[in-house]
Amino acid sequence: MNKRAVLRSIAAAAAFCFAGIAQAQTTPIKYFKDAKLDVTVDAGNGSGGAVTRVASGAYDIGFADLAALMEFHANNPDAPNKPVAIMMVYNSTPASVMALKKSGIKTPADLNGKKLGAPVFDAGRRAFPIFQKANSVGAVTWVAMDPPLRETMLARGDVDAITGFTFTSLLNLEARGVKADDVVVIPYATHGVKLYGNVVIATPKILKENPQAVKAFLSAFTKGVRDVVAKPEAAIADVKARDGIINTELETRRLKLAIDTAINSPDARSEGFGQINPGRLSLMASQVSDAFATKTRVNPDAVWNGSFLPSKAELDAVLPKK
């Protein structure tokens, strides 16, 4: 059995953290073999691309932002192979607004009339109307750029603030000579935006034709995430052994920040790793329909299927008790 999976990274370069989860000695590639699954992991090109590639049938399983999956469903209601979310990984969206302290921006209200920068497909930019409404933010001006230029443009003052995943942009700013203490971070998750983040998605075809393989995949993946959450340094060390050019200290910090802000969040501990709250899912579906101006309304029941998840005991073992 050869099951291909495309995983969008949880770091800036498309392989470090989730490739760490998928390839490291203490992480899922070992568990996939134990489960008698032959899994090939390819780097993705963003959530929209991951959804499209799984929908095309080129991949069985992927890793993508839930909002991107919802948008695909609502804009392609007649598509025959719409992917379905089968496991929640980023229980809280990692999106935030970031600005330099010298800009004077301290709160959402300070963004009124400001110039914000982000790639047009950035998850934080796409969801900004939800953040804007939740915090009564007035009009802003957007500047588009390629992803590698986002933090550079903020550092040199071309924009007043940016949107992005905290664990990506904050450390990218540091790499450009900006001290973390000089950055204001306004997380969506703590400012009225209860969006879910990235999920494991799968094709309806594999869910129907090989449900046992899907269950085995999620069980192995869960064990890997558990080990990465427990020992992030070990996961990055294993990635380093396979990719000697990575900055171990930087990527360890990035992984820990991702775990703390998106994976092991208060909501994740409340709802349980991998799982969702139906009411929260319905609210997100409505918000995405409005903010993304989709062709049809998002049906929350059509985008989520939790029946392939591992046992509650397996899921509960992922996140340490606090």
Side-chain angles (χ1 to χ4, degrees), residues 48-241:
V51 173
T52 301
R53 290 163 75 178
V54 174
S56 73
Y59 291 84
D60 301 305
I61 295 174
F63 186 63
D65 184 63
L66 181 57
L69 177 67
M70 287 181 168
E71 182 182 28
F72 183 88
H73 269 249
N75 284 342
N76 301 275
D78 299 322
N81 193 43
K82 293 189 288 293
V84 179
I86 57 174
M87 173 178 276
M88 180 59 58
V89 182
Y90 293 171
N91 186 284
S92 299
T93 177
S96 66
V97 176
M98 282 155 282
L100 303 185
K101 286 184 178 178
K102 64 183 180 182
S103 69
I105 295 172
K106 298 178 181 178
T107 68
D110 297 326
L111 296 171
N112 293 332
K114 293 297 193 293
K115 186 187 298 183
L116 271 65
V120 293
F121 53 81
D122 173 67
R125 177 170 176 171
R126 300 296 309 282
F128 187 78
I130 302 171
F131 174 88
Q132 199 170 16
K133 182 178 180 180
N135 295 280
S136 301
V137 177
V140 301
T141 300
W142 283 99
V143 176
M145 74 284 289
D146 291 333
L149 292 177
R150 170 175 27 201
E151 292 80 19
T152 298
M153 291 183 70
L154 178 63
R156 68 189 186 194
D158 294 335
V159 294
D160 300 309
I162 58 174
T163 58
F165 282 6
T166 308
F167 53 72
T168 298
S169 291
L170 185 60
L171 297 187
N172 286 352
L173 283 167
E174 286 192 37
R176 287 156 177 77
V178 179
K179 296 180 180 179
D181 289 344
D182 293 332
V183 181
V184 175
V185 179
I186 308 175
Y188 282 21
T190 57
H191 286 79
V193 180
K194 301 292 286 184
L195 298 179
Y196 286 111
N198 284 38
V199 291
V200 178
I201 63 175
T203 63
K205 184 175 186 291
I206 193 175
L207 297 182
K208 180 179 179 181
E209 295 180 358
N210 208 334
Q212 292 308 312
V214 175
K215 290 180 179 180
F217 178 93
L218 291 183
S219 180
F221 184 86
T222 298
K223 292 173 183 176
V225 176
R226 180 195 64 198
D227 279 2
V228 170
V229 169
K231 298 179 180 179
E233 293 90 352
I236 294 299
D238 286 331
V239 178
K240 177 72 171 180

Side-chain angles (χ1 to χ4, degrees), residues 36-54:
K36 297 181 172 55
L37 295 175
D38 181 10
V39 177
T40 299
V41 181
D42 290 339
N45 60 345
S47 288
V51 173
T52 301
R53 290 163 75 178
V54 174

